[in-house]
Amino acid sequence: MLAKWIAVDASNRAAFDEAQKRWSDLVEYDGFIVQVGGWVDTFPAKAGILGLWRNFGAYRQFMETGHAEIAPQQREISERIETTIASVIMYINQPDPQLLAGSAECLRVSDVTLQPNSSPIFVARQMEIWNPALGSADGMLGALICRVDGNRDRFLAASFWRNRAALENFQVAVFPATSEQAGTEEYMKSLVSYHFALEPGWRVVKPA
């Protein structure tokens, strides 16, 4: 499965919101699975969007044949767009993103850059420590761990949460101790986390 993470600076929230609703046409494209997004909590003019595709071939076909028809208006009202493509390498709890998109109220996306050649220890700690902690966290419905294409030292983690209270409880009660247990300072160069409530009008789910 391919994950597409988009961070967008858009100060005109109303115009961007309307443009984002046009992406409902994604359901017509072969290999599309789901797309969700919302306004990042700590940056009112930044939107986060997560799209999932069956594989890179399906995504490339869409980029070559359909993307230009949907995207122009969004580009005009966005000051900056940063796109990251990654391959899903692990699932935690519910593995079906269509079910997650329909039941989650909040999304947490972590963009992790490691110290050089630290991916083996990252993957090991993820499996031994982080996955069990996330899997048992109250309200964590499902998560995807992804390796960024073309950068062996960068990963994305996207977790779907039942509600904001569950996500906030994880941040306060679980994340600090788990980070210390995993010794993240040994192998992690930088960590940027985006938290946001999912906008219902941006949710696009391919019918089963």
Side-chain angles (χ1 to χ4, degrees):
M1 187 183 296
L2 176 143
K4 180 179 184 179
W5 165 243
I6 312 168
V8 185
D9 292 340
S11 55
N12 189 338
R13 287 174 56 128
F16 185 86
D17 182 74
E18 285 302 312
Q20 195 58 33
K21 293 173 182 176
R22 295 188 59 201
W23 291 86
S24 59
D25 291 345
L26 283 170
V27 297
E28 304 298 328
Y29 292 91
D30 182 56
F32 171 76
I33 300 173
V34 67
Q35 182 167 285
V36 294
W39 296 103
V40 177
D41 291 351
T42 51
F43 300 98
K46 184 181 288 291
I49 300 161
L50 179 68
L52 296 168
W53 292 77
R54 183 176 63 229
N55 53 42
F56 183 77
Y59 170 70
R60 182 175 58 188
Q61 180 70 17
F62 162 71
M63 292 299 294
E64 293 174 350
T65 61
H67 185 265
E69 298 179 10
I70 306 175
Q73 184 181 357
Q74 188 180 55
R75 286 199 297 265
E76 292 171 5
I77 58 176
S78 302
E79 289 93 49
R80 182 172 180 268
I81 303 177
E82 181 181 354
T83 301
T84 303
I85 304 298
S87 300
V88 179
I89 61 172
M90 296 183 212
Y91 300 88
I92 306 171
N93 292 359
Q94 173 57 253
D96 188 339
Q98 292 163 303
L99 295 177
L100 293 172
S103 55
E105 290 185 6
C106 292
L107 185 67
R108 179 182 191 268
V109 175
S110 295
D111 186 340
V112 180
T113 300
L114 305 176
Q115 299 290 350
N117 303 313
S118 294
S119 59
I121 188 171
F122 170 84
V123 171
R125 299 284 172 84
Q126 186 69 44
M127 295 178 67
E128 295 167 6
I129 299 172
W130 283 105
N131 287 12
L134 274 166
S136 61
D138 182 51
M140 205 295 291
L141 305 177
L144 310 171
I145 310 302
C146 316
R147 185 190 297 270
V148 173
D149 290 359
N151 187 342
R152 60 182 298 175
D153 295 322
R154 188 176 169 209
F155 292 79
L156 297 176
S159 52
F160 293 77
W161 296 83
R162 183 177 60 228
N163 51 41
R164 184 175 294 278
L167 173 54
E168 291 178 350
N169 181 68
F170 171 79
Q171 283 296 116
V172 173
V174 179
F175 180 82
T178 305
S179 181
E180 183 176 356
Q181 180 186 2
T184 54
E185 293 184 358
E186 301 173 18
Y187 57 86
M188 195 175 294
K189 185 177 180 180
S190 67
L191 169 65
V192 181
S193 291
Y194 304 85
H195 302 174
F196 49 91
L198 298 180
E199 291 286 337
W202 301 9
R203 184 181 287 116
V204 185
V205 181
K206 182 91 167 185

